[in-house]
Amino acid sequence: MLTQLDWSFYRWDVIGPFVLKGLQFSVMLTVVATLGGIALGTLLALMRLSGRSWLVGPATLYVNGMRSIPLVMVILWFFLLVPLIIGRPIGAELSAVITFIAFEAAYFSEIVRAGIQSIPRGQIYAGQALGLSYAQNMRYVILPQAFRNMLPVFLTQTIILFQDTSLVYAIGAYDLLKGFEIAGKNHGRPIEAYLAAAVVYFVICYSLSALVKRLHARIAIIR
């Protein structure tokens, strides 16, 4: 099988322009969805920890609902239904960005909630003893410690998010996988294209996973 591959396909001048464009979108989607997901996820986590039923109920419903639906279905639903609601298309790329932020927020919310709950109660009591309000205690005492503890988990979820960006292929967005596919079609080499895509995804994700392990070890030493 390997002897039938056209190794001349694996040249930068052949696949580079297609792959680079797709990689740029995949990285952008990963970064924006991570930042947006953490921001929205933190809000959802604070709502669930507030102890107020009118905040806990909607946040719990949102988180559990999103985590119960496959991402590809959320991507398709948003891409197909939102234009019907607002009366105009919003484009595959923008649809993917909004969908990923909304979906990843549910997962980041659980990470943040677990991180906050992992902080010793003595830290909370110490902040209260200093006269800090609930919001000030969260901002200056609890969240900084929680985010430091959660950093390796955040990065691990980000790696998973990067892998999931390939699902935007379902709505025709130009991501990394789409770039390889177009390169393969243009040169009549689909097998070589998908093989190269698998190798690139593996190298990127494996390298990032190794960095996360090193970071986790350093945080453990600091503790």
Side-chain angles (χ1 to χ4, degrees):
M1 180 66 181
L2 289 177
T3 58
Q4 298 176 0
L5 294 177
D6 181 4
W7 297 102
S8 65
F9 177 79
Y10 301 112
R11 299 201 320 264
W12 181 253
D13 60 312
V14 174
I15 64 175
F18 303 101
V19 173
L20 186 58
K21 179 180 177 181
L23 179 61
Q24 288 174 342
F25 177 75
S26 291
V27 171
M28 182 278 293
L29 178 58
T30 300
V31 172
V32 172
T34 297
L35 297 178
I38 290 175
L40 181 56
T42 300
L43 177 61
L44 290 169
L46 293 176
M47 290 173 64
R48 296 189 69 182
L49 293 171
S50 66
R52 301 175 181 177
S53 58
W54 59 279
L55 291 176
V56 175
T60 302
L61 181 63
Y62 180 91
V63 171
N64 292 338
M66 278 294 186
R67 296 182 68 197
S68 301
I69 304 173
L71 175 56
V72 68
M73 292 183 64
V74 179
I75 293 172
L76 289 171
W77 287 351
F78 192 91
F79 180 70
L80 296 174
L81 293 180
V82 169
L84 295 178
I85 297 174
I86 66 176
R88 62 182 179 84
I90 62 174
E93 284 74 18
L94 179 58
S95 177
V97 170
I98 297 174
T99 302
F100 267 75
I101 291 175
F103 187 84
E104 292 299 326
Y107 288 86
F108 282 119
S109 171
E110 289 298 273
I111 296 173
V112 173
R113 188 165 70 98
I116 293 175
Q117 291 177 329
S118 70
I119 302 301
R121 299 294 296 179
Q123 297 289 326
I124 300 176
Y125 298 146
Q128 293 174 345
L130 292 173
L132 299 179
S133 65
Y134 175 80
Q136 291 173 328
N137 208 2
M138 276 292 175
R139 180 179 178 183
Y140 297 112
V141 179
I142 307 303
L143 286 180
Q145 298 181 68
F147 275 111
R148 187 192 66 183
N149 296 340
M150 292 182 291
L151 186 56
V153 187
F154 277 151
L155 295 178
T156 299
Q157 183 62 30
T158 300
I159 295 172
I160 297 173
L161 198 165
F162 176 76
Q163 295 172 338
D164 288 343
T165 58
S166 61
L167 295 176
V168 301
Y169 177 93
I171 58 175
Y174 201 124
D175 70 315
L176 180 58
L177 182 59
K178 187 72 171 179
F180 276 107
E181 183 206 18
I182 293 176
K185 285 183 176 179
N186 285 354
H187 296 278
R189 292 294 175 180
I191 295 178
E192 287 85 345
Y194 286 119
L195 180 60
V199 171
V200 169
Y201 273 103
F202 173 79
V203 170
I204 292 175
C205 295
Y206 183 84
S207 301
L208 293 176
S209 296
L211 290 175
V212 170
K213 288 182 181 179
R214 293 183 62 182
L215 177 62
H216 190 274
R218 286 193 175 187
I219 291 178
I221 293 174
I222 293 175
R223 291 177 186 171

